[in-house]
Amino acid sequence: MNSPSLPTVSPSLWTTRSSLARKTGTWRAAAPEYRLSPAPCLAACPVNARIAEWIGELRKQNLRRAWEVLVENNPFPAIAGRICHHPCESACNRQFHDEALSICALERFAGDTALAEGWRFEKPAAERSERFAIVGGGPAGLSAAYQLRRRGFQVTLFESKPQLGGLLRYGIPDYRLDKAVLDGEIARIVDLGIDVRLGRAIEDAEALKALRDSHGAVYLATGASLAKRVPGLDYAAPWIIDSADYLAAANSGSPARCGERLVVIGGGSAAMDVARTARRLGKQVTVLALEPENRLPAQRVEVDEAMEEGITFVCGAMMRSVEAGATGLRLRCERVDFKPGEKRGEFTVTPIGDPAFALDADVIVPSIGQNADLGRWRALIGAEGAVLGTDRSWRTSAPGIFAGGDVASMDRFVTQAVGMGKQAAAEMARFVLGEAAGGGFAAGATLPFADINTNYHPRAGRNAPASTALEERLRGFAEVQRPLAREAALDEARRCFSCGTCTYCDNCFYYCPDMAIARTDSGYAVKYDYCKGCGLCVEECPTGSIVMRNETML
């Protein structure tokens, strides 16, 4: 039997020396590339907070650093963690795996920790001579003042009311936002060295122009203070109470005197605040809304809690007339078909022919939204519909005057106003420094769920904040939503996919068959001389932080 011939081994392929001379990177058609991709939560966040980054710091128990990253974009984490409408959670990639992350609760945890520890903002590294005026001490104005002051600019803030806070103080009840939290987060901003002028209203265009002429630029953030009117209601009647007045009185500790039966007209968050405040004052409350229940503009948790608290909802209906008699009011109502329009605030309603019905009440509180008072600025600034006209950089038609918040946008959410203030501050700085406008704040493409390797993320239930027991809620105005305990918050932080953000897990380093991944001071680097483009590093990345690109694109 003939022996099989042995294969010939080329001496050029056999060596006991280092393989570094074998530059196998010439074999590949594609190569990996490290990339920081925006997470969907970041793109959805009104303040563009670096959510994956600050949650990553929480996960490592670097609580101070987590708060520092948070407040670069939003100086109100404890407030936002209580009242934000959290579009970030609706965008969270984790929802496609098990449940969305409790981002809002984590933000509150970081914000509450900062208040408890007494953490303060660092003073500006250097002082600048340029001075700005902020008109309005609500969330938009305070946000702009904060961002300008931390850049070292001189800031004077004019507020017509006795205290700062705007809607946060006068419109949101304590059961949603404890005023000690509000005071704590505002005080940190003021302590940066902002010149605050309380009880100082800028009444008209002439006064605004004078302010502009004496400052480098002005930010107008006077909110929306004119109540929208319900057709068919006599607003001079003693049984009509404006929702803003009702909430301001209750928040001040001197609630309006009224009968036992309230009908609140409207389905938004302000209507829920009125209704739930009235319940805590012992009233019988009915909410009458045009929208069907599943389309009420208030956050769903507010509606659910209102129902739990014994508030009656009559949805998909409108009032046609009201009659005042010896025993109170009778509202004549009918069912309607509600159709939303293309723009926020636009809609049509059509009676659906059901028999009319009546509601009995002692007081009616209309709460269908508010308009900005544009008349006093008309001689100086142009309007676009119900708001001041601005470009994408929040510049108005008057040079040197910027605007934001409810006076310039129909996005009537607190964190939207905070984001506008942040953006406007950057543009105001550019304006006084003679730089070109930024031209908008669009987010790039976000990391899709498909790019997450879920094998590294075991399914785990969401750590959601609990609510105060129902029997306790109606005894007073203590906060309803409870905070996450420390361990629950850290456990929830560990659920974050960290979409598009490297967590330095070393998977790419260990799984690379060619040892073509090198650790660096800032993360990792690909040694392209040796990478064959197999893609294992991409497959094993738990956060989607590595992508494959054709060689021609590198």
Side-chain angles (χ1 to χ4, degrees):
M1 182 176 179
N2 294 328
S3 299
S5 59
L6 295 174
T8 301
V9 178
S10 170
S12 63
L13 295 177
W14 180 259
T15 180
T16 58
R17 299 178 182 177
S18 169
S19 62
L20 292 177
R22 313 298 181 191
K23 296 186 177 182
T24 52
T26 56
W27 301 4
R28 68 176 181 268
E33 178 179 278
Y34 289 93
R35 181 165 298 180
L36 179 64
S37 300
C41 56
L42 183 148
C45 176
V47 300
N48 294 116
R50 304 198 306 275
I51 295 173
E53 183 177 343
W54 66 258
I55 291 181
E57 296 296 341
L58 279 185
R59 186 167 53 244
K60 294 181 286 188
Q61 301 189 44
N62 296 335
L63 272 61
R64 177 67 186 252
R65 180 55 188 158
W67 175 76
E68 289 171 347
V69 174
L70 256 170
V71 298
E72 286 181 17
N73 296 286
N74 175 17
F76 305 112
I79 294 171
R82 286 164 165 81
I83 64 172
C84 182
H85 60 301
H86 47 76
C88 54
E89 295 186 14
S90 298
C92 177
N93 271 334
R94 182 97 199 195
Q95 68 183 303
F96 305 114
H97 185 52
D98 41 41
E99 295 179 281
L101 205 68
S102 293
I103 299 171
C104 222
L106 290 178
E107 185 169 13
R108 173 177 174 171
F109 173 73
D112 284 356
T113 299
L115 289 172
E117 296 293 330
W119 295 338
R120 318 301 292 176
F121 298 139
E122 290 186 7
K123 299 289 185 182
E127 295 289 342
R128 303 187 62 96
S129 61
E130 297 89 350
R131 179 170 291 278
F132 296 91
I134 309 293
V135 182
L142 286 167
S143 175
Y146 163 73
Q147 296 291 351
L148 288 167
R149 186 69 195 108
R150 64 197 293 258
R151 287 170 165 84
F153 295 109
Q154 308 308 306
V155 180
T156 303
L157 194 158
F158 297 85
E159 169 54 50
S160 62
K161 288 189 165 55
Q163 291 181 281
L164 295 174
L167 173 73
L168 297 172
R169 184 175 302 281
Y170 298 103
I172 296 179
D174 286 4
Y175 70 81
R176 290 181 61 205
L177 174 61
D178 189 310
K179 296 307 176 286
V181 173
L182 174 65
D183 291 339
E185 296 209 309
I186 289 178
R188 274 198 304 245
I189 296 174
V190 175
D191 286 349
L192 283 173
I194 294 169
D195 179 13
V196 176
R197 313 283 179 89
L198 297 173
R200 288 285 303 276
I202 308 301
E203 298 286 359
D204 52 31
E206 184 178 352
L208 183 62
K209 182 178 182 300
L211 204 62
R212 191 264 317 269
D213 292 344
S214 59
H215 291 78
V218 176
Y219 184 56
L220 194 58
T222 48
S225 57
L226 301 179
K228 294 180 181 179
R229 300 233 161 174
V230 177
L233 276 184
D234 177 8
Y235 278 71
W239 34 264
I240 297 288
I241 303 178
D242 175 69
S243 61
D245 292 341
Y246 187 90
L247 288 171
N251 286 348
S252 70
S254 302
R257 295 178 179 274
C258 59
E260 296 301 307
R261 300 169 298 173
L262 272 74
V263 169
V264 180
I265 299 179
S269 290
M272 298 305 108
D273 287 343
V274 170
R276 298 178 69 188
T277 295
R279 281 295 292 138
R280 283 157 174 75
L281 296 173
K283 309 300 181 182
Q284 300 174 32
V285 185
T286 299
V287 170
L288 178 65
L290 293 173
E291 301 90 348
E293 182 189 318
N294 64 348
R295 301 202 72 151
L296 290 173
Q299 294 184 53
R300 188 66 221 181
V301 65
E302 298 177 71
V303 176
D304 290 342
E305 289 177 348
M307 289 180 173
E308 292 170 0
E309 291 164 7
I311 293 166
T312 300
F313 280 76
V314 179
C315 300
M318 68 182 295
M319 186 201 75
R320 277 300 184 191
S321 64
V322 59
E323 302 165 2
T327 59
L329 309 173
R330 173 149 287 194
L331 287 71
R332 303 290 180 181
C333 307
E334 64 181 335
R335 300 287 176 183
V336 297
D337 180 32
F338 174 89
K339 297 290 186 187
E342 293 184 1
K343 296 181 180 178
R344 185 184 295 274
E346 293 182 352
F347 60 88
T348 57
V349 291
T350 307
I352 59 178
D354 284 0
F357 63 95
L359 297 174
D360 294 327
D362 299 308
V363 171
I364 299 174
V365 185
S367 185
I368 61 171
Q370 294 178 289
N371 287 320
D373 181 6
L374 306 183
R376 52 180 167 157
W377 317 124
R378 190 163 289 128
L380 186 62
I381 304 174
E384 289 182 1
V387 296
L388 292 178
T390 60
D391 63 13
R392 296 181 64 195
S393 300
W394 303 109
R395 303 184 185 213
T396 70
S397 58
I401 298 180
F402 297 70
D406 291 356
V407 75
S409 172
M410 293 303 292
D411 290 328
R412 302 291 169 83
F413 296 105
V414 168
T415 46
Q416 292 280 9
V418 174
M420 293 176 213
K422 171 194 142 182
Q423 295 163 1
E427 292 301 327
M428 293 166 73
R430 290 189 181 103
F431 176 80
V432 299
L433 298 175
E435 300 173 1
F441 305 89
T446 61
L447 189 88
F449 171 69
D451 287 0
I452 298 293
N453 187 334
T454 56
N455 292 310
Y456 290 101
H457 303 281
R459 294 185 188 276
R462 169 184 168 104
N463 292 275
S467 297
T468 302
L470 180 60
E471 60 271 17
E472 296 180 27
R473 291 186 210 166
L474 301 182
R475 294 176 188 164
F477 285 83
E479 287 188 334
V480 171
Q481 293 293 328
R482 310 305 302 158
L484 288 178
R486 178 187 175 93
E487 287 309 311
L490 296 177
D491 186 56
E492 187 64 10
R494 286 189 283 269
R495 292 183 66 242
C496 180
F497 283 163
S498 192
C499 299
T501 299
C502 181
T503 57
Y504 311 108
C505 68
D506 272 354
N507 273 16
C508 55
F509 179 80
Y510 286 118
Y511 275 99
C512 179
D514 299 302
M515 294 183 287
I517 303 295
R519 295 191 186 107
T520 69
D521 291 340
S522 59
Y524 305 95
V526 181
K527 295 185 284 187
Y528 291 111
D529 280 347
Y530 307 100
C531 171
K532 298 194 196 75
C534 69
L536 266 177
C537 54
V538 175
E539 289 297 321
E540 297 301 331
C541 177
T543 68
S545 300
I546 320 174
V547 295
M548 293 297 290
R549 291 287 181 261
N550 291 334
E551 283 283 50
T552 55
M553 298 178 66
L554 290 176

